[in-house]
Amino acid sequence: MKLILFGPPGAGKGTQAKKISSHYDIPHLSTGNIFRYNIKNQTELGKKVKSILDAGELVSDETVVALVVDELQHDKYDNGYILDGFPRTIPQAKALDEHLASQDDSIDLFLTLSVPQEELIDRILSREEGRSDDTPEKIKTRLEVYSNETEPVLNYYKKKGIVKEINGMGSIDEIFERIKTELDKIS
Ligand code: ADP
């Protein structure tokens, strides 16, 4: 099962991706987590992307695509995966398509979590991960970047007919039940 979990910052992608990963036993690939890990460990990649994440802007398509394509080569992704935070731009979506097509492969399902904007801001401000991009000003930038660059990705996948919209309001378990209903149809 190859999934994309999509939605604005604060929609709960990371939380739900973890639950899907443990329930269906497929790995969770979060580009944001990979970047934060590299920043924390002061790797070359971390040094390159730190100021970009701090500003709430997007890392270049070239960097992200190379990272994901490289990561997906590992055996652990052979039986499926959940992509979280990628693709986030149309060029990234096209690059992923090309990569998968070259291996005669494709994404099975694109789940988009819908949550109203006011709720997103409340959720981000109340989470306690201490992320440097979780401040009111950075959240504003991230939501703008989302609507300008990332939301078009939803239409790109709608045209492929693999999008399922999930109501992202309610408890973590209620939302996970909605996701399971969709995933159980395809697994
Ligand atoms: P959120 O969805 O809550 O904003 P993420 O953990 O997915 O958080 O991403 C955090 C940051 O990492 C983004 O604001 C961006 O700077 C960078 N990032 C993550 N994924 C991508 C991507 N696919 N393309 C470009 N930048 C990315």
Side-chain angles (χ1 to χ4, degrees), residues 155-172:
N155 273 326
Y156 178 88
Y157 284 94
K158 274 188 180 161
K159 288 185 196 139
K160 294 178 182 285
I162 59 166
V163 172
K164 287 284 172 201
E165 185 173 341
I166 304 287
N167 172 2
M169 292 294 282
S171 71
I172 290 173

mmCIF file of all heavy atoms in Angstrom, residues 155-172:
data_model
loop_
_atom_site.group_PDB
_atom_site.id
_atom_site.type_symbol
_atom_site.label_atom_id
_atom_site.label_comp_id
_atom_site.label_asym_id
_atom_site.label_seq_id
_atom_site.Cartn_x
_atom_site.Cartn_y
_atom_site.Cartn_z
ATOM 1 N N ASN A 155 -5.225 19.159 -6.599
ATOM 2 C CA ASN A 155 -5.903 19.061 -7.900
ATOM 3 C C ASN A 155 -5.189 18.142 -8.868
ATOM 4 O O ASN A 155 -5.820 17.434 -9.648
ATOM 5 C CB ASN A 155 -6.027 20.447 -8.543
ATOM 6 C CG ASN A 155 -7.285 21.110 -8.067
ATOM 7 O OD1 ASN A 155 -8.297 20.440 -7.840
ATOM 8 N ND2 ASN A 155 -7.222 22.422 -7.879
ATOM 9 N N TYR A 156 -3.873 18.162 -8.784
ATOM 10 C CA TYR A 156 -3.054 17.293 -9.637
ATOM 11 C C TYR A 156 -3.438 15.829 -9.404
ATOM 12 O O TYR A 156 -3.627 15.062 -10.349
ATOM 13 C CB TYR A 156 -1.578 17.549 -9.299
ATOM 14 C CG TYR A 156 -0.593 16.700 -10.047
ATOM 15 C CD1 TYR A 156 -0.099 17.109 -11.283
ATOM 16 C CD2 TYR A 156 -0.123 15.505 -9.509
ATOM 17 C CE1 TYR A 156 0.832 16.338 -11.967
ATOM 18 C CE2 TYR A 156 0.809 14.728 -10.184
ATOM 19 C CZ TYR A 156 1.273 15.144 -11.408
ATOM 20 O OH TYR A 156 2.190 14.379 -12.070
ATOM 21 N N TYR A 157 -3.596 15.440 -8.130
ATOM 22 C CA TYR A 157 -3.957 14.044 -7.838
ATOM 23 C C TYR A 157 -5.445 13.778 -8.037
ATOM 24 O O TYR A 157 -5.831 12.645 -8.320
ATOM 25 C CB TYR A 157 -3.499 13.647 -6.421
ATOM 26 C CG TYR A 157 -2.016 13.397 -6.388
ATOM 27 C CD1 TYR A 157 -1.132 14.409 -6.033
ATOM 28 C CD2 TYR A 157 -1.488 12.170 -6.767
ATOM 29 C CE1 TYR A 157 0.237 14.198 -6.042
ATOM 30 C CE2 TYR A 157 -0.119 11.942 -6.782
ATOM 31 C CZ TYR A 157 0.733 12.961 -6.418
ATOM 32 O OH TYR A 157 2.089 12.751 -6.439
ATOM 33 N N LYS A 158 -6.281 14.832 -7.882
ATOM 34 C CA LYS A 158 -7.719 14.647 -8.144
ATOM 35 C C LYS A 158 -7.914 14.190 -9.572
ATOM 36 O O LYS A 158 -8.748 13.334 -9.865
ATOM 37 C CB LYS A 158 -8.496 15.944 -7.894
ATOM 38 C CG LYS A 158 -8.910 16.098 -6.446
ATOM 39 C CD LYS A 158 -9.833 17.290 -6.253
ATOM 40 C CE LYS A 158 -10.231 17.412 -4.794
ATOM 41 N NZ LYS A 158 -10.739 18.759 -4.471
ATOM 42 N N LYS A 159 -7.126 14.762 -10.483
ATOM 43 C CA LYS A 159 -7.244 14.382 -11.902
ATOM 44 C C LYS A 159 -6.912 12.914 -12.122
ATOM 45 O O LYS A 159 -7.356 12.312 -13.078
ATOM 46 C CB LYS A 159 -6.339 15.264 -12.768
ATOM 47 C CG LYS A 159 -6.871 16.675 -12.882
ATOM 48 C CD LYS A 159 -6.033 17.515 -13.832
ATOM 49 C CE LYS A 159 -6.342 18.986 -13.624
ATOM 50 N NZ LYS A 159 -5.141 19.826 -13.661
ATOM 51 N N LYS A 160 -6.115 12.349 -11.229
ATOM 52 C CA LYS A 160 -5.773 10.929 -11.353
ATOM 53 C C LYS A 160 -6.850 10.033 -10.742
ATOM 54 O O LYS A 160 -6.786 8.810 -10.855
ATOM 55 C CB LYS A 160 -4.465 10.634 -10.622
ATOM 56 C CG LYS A 160 -3.242 11.288 -11.208
ATOM 57 C CD LYS A 160 -2.044 10.931 -10.318
ATOM 58 C CE LYS A 160 -0.772 11.571 -10.777
ATOM 59 N NZ LYS A 160 -0.220 10.905 -11.975
ATOM 60 N N GLY A 161 -7.778 10.670 -9.989
ATOM 61 C CA GLY A 161 -8.878 9.903 -9.391
ATOM 62 C C GLY A 161 -8.491 9.071 -8.182
ATOM 63 O O GLY A 161 -9.152 8.071 -7.884
ATOM 64 N N ILE A 162 -7.440 9.454 -7.464
ATOM 65 C CA ILE A 162 -7.043 8.631 -6.306
ATOM 66 C C ILE A 162 -7.195 9.382 -4.972
ATOM 67 O O ILE A 162 -6.703 8.941 -3.940
ATOM 68 C CB ILE A 162 -5.594 8.089 -6.438
ATOM 69 C CG1 ILE A 162 -4.579 9.228 -6.578
ATOM 70 C CG2 ILE A 162 -5.485 7.101 -7.596
ATOM 71 C CD1 ILE A 162 -3.129 8.763 -6.374
ATOM 72 N N VAL A 163 -7.894 10.527 -5.003
ATOM 73 C CA VAL A 163 -8.015 11.346 -3.789
ATOM 74 C C VAL A 163 -9.226 10.944 -2.952
ATOM 75 O O VAL A 163 -10.327 10.752 -3.474
ATOM 76 C CB VAL A 163 -8.133 12.843 -4.166
ATOM 77 C CG1 VAL A 163 -8.468 13.693 -2.940
ATOM 78 C CG2 VAL A 163 -6.851 13.331 -4.819
ATOM 79 N N LYS A 164 -9.004 10.796 -1.635
ATOM 80 C CA LYS A 164 -10.112 10.641 -0.685
ATOM 81 C C LYS A 164 -9.960 11.738 0.353
ATOM 82 O O LYS A 164 -8.882 11.891 0.942
ATOM 83 C CB LYS A 164 -10.040 9.295 0.057
ATOM 84 C CG LYS A 164 -10.395 8.128 -0.788
ATOM 85 C CD LYS A 164 -11.890 8.032 -1.007
ATOM 86 C CE LYS A 164 -12.185 6.949 -2.024
ATOM 87 N NZ LYS A 164 -13.488 7.105 -2.655
ATOM 88 N N GLU A 165 -11.029 12.475 0.561
ATOM 89 C CA GLU A 165 -10.970 13.528 1.551
ATOM 90 C C GLU A 165 -11.409 12.978 2.902
ATOM 91 O O GLU A 165 -12.413 12.267 2.988
ATOM 92 C CB GLU A 165 -11.871 14.682 1.118
ATOM 93 C CG GLU A 165 -11.751 15.859 2.059
ATOM 94 C CD GLU A 165 -12.498 17.097 1.568
ATOM 95 O OE1 GLU A 165 -12.807 17.178 0.357
ATOM 96 O OE2 GLU A 165 -12.773 17.955 2.421
ATOM 97 N N ILE A 166 -10.629 13.266 3.932
ATOM 98 C CA ILE A 166 -10.949 12.800 5.285
ATOM 99 C C ILE A 166 -11.252 14.021 6.144
ATOM 100 O O ILE A 166 -10.455 14.976 6.174
ATOM 101 C CB ILE A 166 -9.740 12.043 5.914
ATOM 102 C CG1 ILE A 166 -9.278 10.880 5.025
ATOM 103 C CG2 ILE A 166 -10.038 11.600 7.343
ATOM 104 C CD1 ILE A 166 -10.178 9.677 4.995
ATOM 105 N N ASN A 167 -12.379 13.962 6.864
ATOM 106 C CA ASN A 167 -12.689 15.036 7.796
ATOM 107 C C ASN A 167 -11.679 14.971 8.939
ATOM 108 O O ASN A 167 -11.615 13.991 9.667
ATOM 109 C CB ASN A 167 -14.131 14.819 8.273
ATOM 110 C CG ASN A 167 -14.529 15.761 9.389
ATOM 111 O OD1 ASN A 167 -13.751 16.625 9.801
ATOM 112 N ND2 ASN A 167 -15.752 15.578 9.879
ATOM 113 N N GLY A 168 -10.884 16.026 9.069
ATOM 114 C CA GLY A 168 -9.810 16.033 10.056
ATOM 115 C C GLY A 168 -10.204 16.633 11.388
ATOM 116 O O GLY A 168 -9.344 16.928 12.223
ATOM 117 N N MET A 169 -11.524 16.822 11.607
ATOM 118 C CA MET A 169 -11.999 17.347 12.897
ATOM 119 C C MET A 169 -12.486 16.185 13.748
ATOM 120 O O MET A 169 -13.051 15.233 13.225
ATOM 121 C CB MET A 169 -13.153 18.320 12.671
ATOM 122 C CG MET A 169 -12.724 19.596 11.966
ATOM 123 S SD MET A 169 -11.597 20.593 12.965
ATOM 124 C CE MET A 169 -12.770 21.349 14.105
ATOM 125 N N GLY A 170 -12.272 16.296 15.066
ATOM 126 C CA GLY A 170 -12.706 15.242 15.984
ATOM 127 C C GLY A 170 -11.505 14.707 16.724
ATOM 128 O O GLY A 170 -10.419 15.289 16.642
ATOM 129 N N SER A 171 -11.691 13.599 17.445
ATOM 130 C CA SER A 171 -10.564 13.061 18.222
ATOM 131 C C SER A 171 -9.603 12.334 17.286
ATOM 132 O O SER A 171 -9.972 11.952 16.165
ATOM 133 C CB SER A 171 -11.077 12.106 19.301
ATOM 134 O OG SER A 171 -11.536 10.916 18.691
ATOM 135 N N ILE A 172 -8.388 12.126 17.768
ATOM 136 C CA ILE A 172 -7.372 11.413 16.985
ATOM 137 C C ILE A 172 -7.917 10.051 16.549
ATOM 138 O O ILE A 172 -7.763 9.643 15.397
ATOM 139 C CB ILE A 172 -6.073 11.272 17.821
ATOM 140 C CG1 ILE A 172 -5.420 12.647 17.968
ATOM 141 C CG2 ILE A 172 -5.112 10.262 17.188
ATOM 142 C CD1 ILE A 172 -4.211 12.682 18.905
#
